[in-house]
Structure formats: structure tokens, C-alpha cells
């Protein structure tokens, strides 16, 4: 056995009643004890107290008080070796389990007495840690939801749908990710594991800068064994997992609800243009034949987000809500510039200055 990637778990691996008090003390003190050095594949260096050459890990107490690490676990998280070794048992040989303040302890790990790491099937708890808005790279903190805090969860499904929702459960991003093979994660311990995923422009349903404004307000819904649609996110960032689209029906449903949410969100701002002019940039409805394609909800939303990324004042309205469009029996999602003008000429000058032609930009007030 050769240690590959290890972690120190400051909770007793055994659950004996007599260790409970020690467990509580050790858990509180855990942040002060670190893995200082690891010697793997020991064939030449000094052995343990029984002269047996073992891999070893040197622990350091960086705190100001002594810490007893009896019952703590050293977890080997390498790709092949998934083992757990308990300090203070025959699995880990050492003469004392108390590390003095500022002191060290060398734990010799006996490969012949290793125990398989405990696992559970409970889905991990997940929350958004941070968002990089440029291309919607989301860092998710996943923590173990196992009853036994020494157990870990394998996050290795090849079709895990991760849906980001706001505080009202509205979907803001949705994609299916492959966590199998090299993308697999082991979720263990209270500190959790960070997972970075990226959503392509077809996989989020609000402007990226708005999604990233308050990441702590977002929740993560995880569903394994999900159906995939076509397309995948592309990211140049190392360690970021790209996702496939959800199915067309699910994406279209997400986009339809997102359009309705955006219309309601922008209604108060649009009321300013009862008494002044703004510029209309687009009017589209589902099934409309225009610009060489048949428009669906995803196309309409994508156009709005693209324009919003260019100009954050852009608004989305439903023509049926405003008197200016009452003469037209067909109703449309309308994109407005969100800029106020005193005259139609001023609005048209704005259109020209922003490279919009007469077929793409027109002056309007909403009365």
C-alpha cells in the first residue's frame, strides 16, 4: 500500500461510548492539527516501533494547547486505495496520541490492518459558494449528509442534473454533468468538497451578472440518472466540469417560465415610459417565422440576454400589458432599450449611435 492523497478526519472512527467526551474535545480542536509531512512507499527509512517499515504521516499541532488525536482517522483518498486508518489502534502505530502544543506526532500506518472507508448512499448537501459571471462558472460546496460523519459519499454518476434556483424556486441555470471517471468526487467530512461546473449560454435563464450578484440566495437541486439533450458547455478553466443541455422540452419549459419572470420583474421599470419615449429593439413570439428561423422560447430569451449583456438597461415586456400595442391582436415579447428620450428623433439618434438599423430599432412610448 502506498498513500496517495490523504486527509485527516478529527472525529473518532469508532463510536464507543467511552470516546464520546474525547470526540467532542477533538472535534473542537481539529483546526489546529494539520498533516505536516507524508512519507509514502517506505522501503528504506526507519520503521515503526516494531521495526516494520510502513508509510507514515507526520501530524503537527499548530495550536496553543495539547490535543489528543486518539480515535481520529487518516483517510487515504487515492483513486485505488479507499482506506481509513484509526489513530490509537493497531492500524496506526505510535507510542502516544497526545500532541503537545506546537509539537509533532508520527503516525505509522500498517497496510495489513487497513479498514475499507465507510460509505453511504445519502445525497450530499449542496450550496453555491461563488459564481464567476463571465462564463457562468459556479463553485458548489458539497458536504456529507451521512449519519456517520466518518462515512463518505461517492459523487460519480454520469448524468447528474444540477439545477440552480432562486429563493422562490425559479430556475436560473440547468444542465446535466458527467461525474464519472476522472470527474468523480468523494464527499466526506464537515468541511466539504468544492465542485466547479460551467453552464453554457443555452443553459442559464437570466443574465449571468444577475445570477452571480447574490450567489448565497441560490439553491442547488441534484438529480442523478437524468436525460441529456444536445450540446455541452465549454470552459478553458482547469478543473471545471462542463455540462450537457437538459432535454429540449425541459429547456423550453425553463425558458417560458424565465420569460414570464423577467416580464414581471421589469414591469415597474417599464412604467417610466408611459410619459417619455424609449426604443423598441425586438418583438417576438413563439412560432414566429423571422430572420430565417422559427422562434421558440429559448431563442427569445437568448436574444434578450444577449442584448442585456450589451446594455444592462434593456427591459422585457409583454405587449398585451401595454396600451401602445392594443390594436394588434397578436401578442409579443418586446425588448426595450430602457433608455428614456424626450422625442422620437432623440430615440432614433440613439438607435443609430448603437448600430441598430430602422428595421431593428424604433421609437415608442407605452401609452
Amino acid at each position: 500500500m502506498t498513500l496517495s492523497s490523504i486527509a485527516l478526519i478529527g472525529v473518532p472512527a469508532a463510536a464507543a461510548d467511552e470516546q464520546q467526551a474525547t470526540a467532542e474535545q477533538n472535534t473542537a480542536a481539529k483546526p489546529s492539527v494539520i498533516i505536516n509531512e507524508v512519507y509514502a512507499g517506505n522501503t528504506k527509512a526507519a520503521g515503526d516501533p516494531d521495526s516494520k517499515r510502513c508509510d507514515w504521516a507526520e501530524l503537527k499541532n499548530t495550536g496553543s494547547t495539547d490535543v489528543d488525536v486518539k480515535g481520529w482517522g487518516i483517510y487515504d483518498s487515492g483513486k485505488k486505495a479507499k482506506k481509513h486508518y484509526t489513530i490509537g489502534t493497531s492500524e496506526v502505530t505510535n507510542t502516544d496520541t497526545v500532541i503537545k502544543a506546537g509539537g509533532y506526532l508520527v503516525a505509522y500506518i500498517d497496510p495489513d490492518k487497513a479498514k475499507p472507508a465507510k460509505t453511504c448512499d445519502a445525497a450530499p448537501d449542496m450550496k453555491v459558494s461563488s459564481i464567476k459571471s463571465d462564463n457562468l462558472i459556479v463553485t458548489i460546496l458539497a458536504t456529507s449528509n451521512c449519519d456517520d460523519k466518518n462515512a463518505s459519499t461517492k459523487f460519480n454518476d454520469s448524468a447528474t442534473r444540477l439545477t440552480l434556483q432562486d429563493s422562490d424556486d425559479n430556475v436560473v441555470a440547468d444542465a446535466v454533468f458527467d461525474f464519472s471517471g476522472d470527474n468523480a468526487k468523494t464527499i466526506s467530512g464537515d468541511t466539504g468538497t468544492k465542485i466547479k461546473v460551467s453552464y453554457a449560454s443555452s443553459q442559464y435563464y437570466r443574465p449571468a451578472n444577475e445570477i452571480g450578484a447574490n450567489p448565497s440566495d441560490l439553491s442547488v437541486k441534484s438529480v442523478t440518472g437524468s436525460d441529456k439533450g444536445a450540446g455541452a458547455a465549454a470552459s478553458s478553466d482547469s478543473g471545471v466540469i462542463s455540462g450537457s443541455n437538459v432535454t429540449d422540452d425541459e429547456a423550453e419549459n425553463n425558458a417560458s417560465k424565465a420569460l414570464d419572470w423577467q416580464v414581471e420583474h421589469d414591469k415597474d421599470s417599464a412604467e417610466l415610459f408611459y410619459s417619455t419615449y424609449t426604443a423598441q429593439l425586438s418583438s417576438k413570439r413563439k412560432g414566429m417565422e423571422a430572420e430565417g428561423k422559427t422562434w421558440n422560447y429559448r431563442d427569445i430569451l437568448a436574444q434578450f440576454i444577449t442584448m442585456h449583456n450589451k446594455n444592462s438597461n434593456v427591459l422585457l415586456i409583454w405587449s398585451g400589458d401595454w396600451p401602445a400595442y392594443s390594436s394588434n391582436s397578436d401578442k409579443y415579447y418586446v425588448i426595450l432599450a430602457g433608455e428614456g428620450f424626450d422625442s422620437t428623433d432623440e430615440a432614433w439618434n440613439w438607435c443609430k449611435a448603437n448600430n441598430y438599423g430602422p428595421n431593428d430599432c424604433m421609437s415608442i412610448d407605452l401609452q
Side-chain angles (χ1 to χ4, degrees), residues 255-304:
S256 174
K257 292 179 178 179
L259 287 168
D260 292 343
W261 181 92
Q262 194 71 48
V263 164
E264 189 63 29
H265 177 269
D266 291 350
K267 188 172 291 185
D268 287 347
S269 297
E271 286 182 352
L272 297 173
F273 303 110
Y274 267 129
S275 56
T276 189
Y277 294 98
T278 190
Q280 176 181 307
L281 305 179
S282 175
S283 59
K284 298 292 190 299
R285 58 184 173 84
K286 183 179 175 69
M288 180 177 178
E289 298 284 346
E291 300 170 23
K293 65 180 179 181
T294 303
W295 286 70
N296 57 33
Y297 292 132
R298 286 165 289 166
D299 296 326
I300 299 169
L301 182 65
Q303 185 185 48
F304 167 76

Side-chain angles (χ1 to χ4, degrees), residues 118-258:
K118 298 179 180 179
T119 61
C120 81
D121 295 327
D125 291 327
M126 310 184 82
K127 67 178 182 180
V128 176
S129 176
S130 63
I131 294 178
K132 182 180 176 181
S133 297
D134 294 346
N135 46 358
L136 204 66
I137 294 177
V138 181
T139 300
I140 296 171
L141 180 64
T143 54
S144 175
N145 201 26
C146 302
D147 292 334
D148 185 340
K149 293 304 180 183
N150 289 310
S152 61
T153 301
K154 292 182 179 179
F155 203 63
N156 57 2
D157 180 69
S158 62
T160 299
R161 182 177 178 180
L162 295 181
T163 305
L164 305 187
Q165 297 174 301
D166 66 13
S167 56
D168 294 320
D169 295 332
N170 298 300
V171 174
V172 299
D174 202 7
V176 180
F177 298 89
D178 183 355
F179 289 103
S180 64
D182 290 341
N183 290 338
K185 305 292 181 182
T186 299
I187 314 300
S188 61
D190 293 332
T191 56
T193 299
K194 287 187 176 180
I195 301 170
K196 286 188 175 182
V197 296
S198 64
Y199 292 85
S201 58
S202 60
Q203 298 166 350
Y204 53 87
Y205 300 94
R206 287 184 199 167
N209 63 329
E210 292 186 3
I211 296 174
N214 296 292
S216 60
D217 292 341
L218 302 177
S219 61
V220 184
K221 181 180 178 182
S222 171
V223 179
T224 58
S226 299
D227 293 331
K228 298 179 184 179
S235 173
S236 59
D237 291 55
S238 176
V240 179
I241 301 172
S242 303
S244 300
N245 291 336
V246 297
T247 66
D248 287 349
D249 287 345
E250 290 166 334
E252 189 72 354
N253 183 55
N254 286 343
S256 174
K257 292 179 178 179

